[in-house]
Amino acid sequence: MADARPPRPTSRLTIGIAQLLLVVAAGALWTASRLPWVVMRSFDGLGPPKEVTLSGASWSTALLPLALLILAAALAALAVRGWPLRALAALLAAASFAIGYLGISLWVIPDVAARGADLAHVPVVTLVGSARHYWGAVAATLAAVCTLSAAVLLMRSAMSGREGATKYASPPTRRSIAPRENADGAMLEEPETPEMSERMIWDALDEGRDPTDRSPESDTEGR
């Protein structure tokens, strides 16, 4: 019978660090959604110049949903083990690339004026300038790094837990679950053989019996 062992302290510590990174990532995404990303300036000739500031939530509506997804993943890491934990780590890795794209795109987009005018509902012909603010993009990039690091830690914890289930099992358990092939090629489980504990050995010696001898019941079995 296999031993039901709780997660090792090292595995719990790894998952705890991953959860902390996910909470930091969710907070960074929320901060990024509140910070200004793009400022649009327009003048239609009929009134004073106007300035519209686009926050991260306006520039990229996926920031807040991704923050909620990461928080949910941090909670789910407490309850899942094995292949569900590996699937969660893979999902977080994919989310980290999406978050990184959102942050880096503010640097790589050649011109933000056209998209900014559309989001700010400002006619392109009235635009007189635009400006980028990078602190929100930096926060999003930081969230991507934290999310990817958490995914790696969760994957490592899931893999180490799988290996440790056999590595740290007791010798009788490993022998009982190790399959062997018979002459016909069928897979059989090695029968479990009772082992004498150290206490039983000392008791036998105190009674003057050899602990290596077979028990009387086994000698008379089948007669």
Side-chain angles (χ1 to χ4, degrees), residues 149-175:
S149 301
V152 172
L153 290 176
L154 291 178
M155 183 65 73
R156 181 181 301 175
S157 176
M159 299 303 294
S160 64
R162 180 181 179 182
E163 296 172 358
T166 303
K167 180 179 179 181
Y168 293 95
S170 61
T173 301
R174 289 200 298 267
R175 286 196 297 270

Side-chain angles (χ1 to χ4, degrees), residues 85-201:
L85 187 59
R86 295 194 292 272
L88 180 65
L91 175 63
L92 288 173
S96 70
F97 288 111
I99 297 170
Y101 170 77
L102 295 178
I104 296 174
S105 63
L106 189 64
W107 278 282
V108 300
I109 292 179
D111 186 15
V112 298
R115 185 166 186 266
D118 181 63
L119 294 174
H121 304 289
V122 174
V124 178
V125 294
T126 63
L127 287 178
V128 295
S130 63
R132 311 183 197 202
H133 295 270
Y134 295 102
W135 284 112
V138 170
T141 306
L142 174 64
V145 173
C146 291
T147 303
L148 183 59
S149 301
V152 172
L153 290 176
L154 291 178
M155 183 65 73
R156 181 181 301 175
S157 176
M159 299 303 294
S160 64
R162 180 181 179 182
E163 296 172 358
T166 303
K167 180 179 179 181
Y168 293 95
S170 61
T173 301
R174 289 200 298 267
R175 286 196 297 270
S176 66
I177 64 177
R180 60 185 177 88
E181 293 188 6
N182 61 2
D184 297 331
M187 299 298 292
L188 298 176
E189 289 189 356
E190 184 178 351
E192 296 185 10
T193 58
E195 288 193 353
M196 297 185 68
S197 65
E198 184 178 356
R199 177 65 179 175
M200 295 171 63
I201 295 174

